Every structure is written in structure tokens, then in C-alpha cells.
Amino acid sequence: MKVLDLRCSHGHGFEGWFASNEAFDSQLASGLVECPVCGDTAIVKLLSAPRLNLSNAKAPKEEGRSDAAHAPSAPASPSTQVSASSTSPEARWMRAVREVLAKTEDVGDRFADEARKMHYGETAERGIRGQATPEQTEALLDEGIPVMALPIPAALKETLQ
């Protein structure tokens, strides 16, 4: 398994897992590799150091040192194990989008109609998301109905296998 550091043309960095370099090249050429943040398929592979599994390797014991000095330290608590990537703008964006998806109902192309029904009191207010044409969006805003575009990364639209 190859774990590659990748970046899209918009500068979003992410990891990709592939069976081999050839599998990556093949999927990239077919347009199957895309940025999980913006869906861009213009992806480049970054240079990265190989990951070596040395779990069976043991450090040589130094004479004159007690075992207490070599005792493993306590594992860090989950709150201290926050990696730099989890606080990146991309990671924060993905968390925010996931929260919106979890707390709203997808009404699809009925978005404009559902927003109007809520605005005019014909149905109970709730969090909704869906699709609207630019014309529908402009009409909603003209009627005083607040709406905003929220691009949802393709990676969040489908469940992973």
C-alpha cells in the first residue's frame, strides 16, 4: 500500500492510498483522483519521506542507565494528539460541511419552493439544503429570503465503500 501526499491546483493538501505507483498513475490519468475539499482533478504528487515500520527494532541498551530512564512515557491524551492537518483550513472546512450535512434536510431541487413555504409560514422552519438555479436564488433574495451557496465536496456526497 502506498500512502501519497497530494495537492490540487488550488493548494489543498491531502493523502491518497493506492495499491502502487502504477495504480495512482492510472487513476490520475482516468480522472478518478480528486481533491476531497473542492473536487479538482488537477492533482500533483508531492515529495514525501518513506514510512518505515520498525516496530520490531529495538534500541541498543546503554550501560549505566536504569530501566526507569528507558521506560515508555504515558501515551498522550486524545486532546494533545491533534495533528497539524486536523487544524488546517481544509480540515476545518470539511468538519463544518459535515456538520451542515448532519443538521439539515436535503430537499434537492425543491429548495426554492421549500424555502418559500418556510418564509411565508406554510410549513415549520427547519434547516434545509438543496439545489437552486441562479435565477431562483436571485428571486429568493429579492423576496427577502436569506440563502447562501455551499459547495459540498464530492467526497461528502457519497458514502465510501
Side-chain angles (χ1 to χ4, degrees):
M1 182 66 58
K2 292 278 191 177
V3 180
L4 303 176
D5 291 324
L6 307 171
R7 183 177 300 150
C8 76
S9 63
H10 302 287
H12 303 129
F14 59 99
E15 256 185 15
W17 292 41
F18 302 90
S20 64
N21 280 328
E22 294 75 24
F24 166 73
D25 293 336
S26 170
Q27 291 179 35
L28 184 65
S30 300
L32 299 175
V33 181
E34 66 180 39
C35 174
V37 176
C38 65
D40 186 13
T41 57
I43 306 297
V44 295
K45 180 170 43 171
L46 303 175
L47 293 175
S48 61
R51 186 182 315 175
L52 302 175
N53 183 0
L54 300 175
S55 61
N56 292 331
K58 296 184 182 184
K61 258 192 169 178
E62 293 180 31
E63 290 188 33
R65 298 191 81 177
S66 69
D67 287 341
H70 288 59
S73 61
S77 69
S79 63
T80 61
Q81 292 179 346
V82 175
S83 69
S85 64
S86 68
T87 58
S88 72
E90 293 88 355
R92 289 192 307 270
W93 170 251
M94 293 294 275
R95 280 195 301 274
V97 171
R98 282 188 185 104
E99 186 172 339
V100 168
L101 292 176
K103 294 182 177 182
T104 58
E105 176 187 346
D106 186 2
V107 295
D109 57 4
R110 299 184 337 254
F111 179 81
D113 293 334
E114 291 295 321
R116 280 190 181 92
K117 286 179 187 176
M118 287 188 299
H119 183 73
Y120 294 113
E122 297 171 21
T123 188
E125 287 197 19
R126 64 195 191 282
I128 61 170
R129 66 185 183 320
Q131 295 80 41
T133 66
E135 294 79 20
Q136 289 173 322
T137 302
E138 188 175 332
L140 289 170
L141 291 170
D142 287 345
E143 292 177 48
I145 303 171
V147 296
M148 67 172 274
L150 177 65
I152 298 177
L156 295 180
K157 291 180 183 176
E158 301 173 4
T159 57
L160 295 176
Q161 295 180 1

